[in-house]
Structure formats: structure tokens, C-alpha cells
Amino acid sequence: MTRETTMTSRAERRHPEIEQPCSWCHAIPGEPCTNRRNERREKPHPGRRDVWVIAHTDCPTCQAQAGTPCPIQTPGSQQVGVHLGRAQAATAAYEQALEDASHDMNTRRSR
């Protein structure tokens, strides 16, 4: 069995939303989310991602500016996530930033 290996930086393996606090498990910025047994989760909680998306991306659907939540409302609730277009734009911007950063990385020298 062959396994493809790629060099990735620590930042590339880290979820960008980790820079936001998590309202569900109360993880502080920079720390991973945990489950009810206080074990590390593989991915951050969805609400933490929404906070990151709101903080960094303008919404193409409702024109909410970065830092302002989308006015998504359902009966009995004030805020439920972000518009899909905003989440996709945030993901695309993050992936482009990673791509740009990878061009700045020094390559290993051959002996």
C-alpha cells in the first residue's frame, strides 16, 4: 500500500475557526473544542465556525458586513447560522490564503 505524503504547515492542519471562542464547550481561542467527556473533538463545533465566518466575511446574500451576523430568523429563534453563500465565500478565501502562503514556504534543500 502506498501512501501519498505532502508537507503541510501546522497552520494548514488547523481549522481557521479555532481563533474564535466556542460558545458550546467554552474553548478559548487557540484551543480545540471538546465533547461532553472533555475529550478533544476532531472538528470545531458548527457555531464556532459561524462566529468565524461572521467575523471575517461579508455576506453576498444579505450584504451583512464582516462582524455583523446575517439576519436569519426562524420562529422562536433569533440567530441560526449564516447564509450558505457567506460560508462558501469564507471557505474559499481561507483556501486561497493557504495556497498563497504555501508559495511563500521555503522548500527543502537536496543534499
Side-chain angles (χ1 to χ4, degrees), residues 32-106:
C33 286
T34 56
N35 62 21
R36 291 180 185 165
R37 294 182 300 272
N38 207 30
E39 297 167 339
R40 182 182 176 155
R41 286 175 47 99
E42 187 175 318
K43 292 185 176 185
H45 288 102
R48 194 174 196 180
R49 177 165 178 74
D50 290 348
V51 171
W52 172 77
V53 169
I54 290 167
H56 294 281
T57 311
D58 294 339
C59 184
T61 305
C62 68
Q63 282 67 48
Q65 294 182 346
T68 306
C70 295
I72 299 173
Q73 294 184 358
T74 57
S77 173
Q78 288 201 266
Q79 179 69 28
V80 181
V82 296
H83 288 112
L84 180 60
R86 190 176 199 176
Q88 291 171 335
T91 299
Y94 179 69
E95 288 172 357
Q96 184 62 49
L98 284 179
E99 180 66 24
D100 294 344
S102 71
H103 294 294
D104 295 335
M105 293 177 68
N106 295 330

Side-chain angles (χ1 to χ4, degrees), residues 8-24:
T8 57
S9 70
R10 200 168 156 193
E12 290 173 310
R13 292 188 302 255
R14 190 170 148 179
H15 296 281
E17 55 267 27
I18 214 87
E19 72 182 50
Q20 302 296 325
C22 182
S23 61
W24 192 90

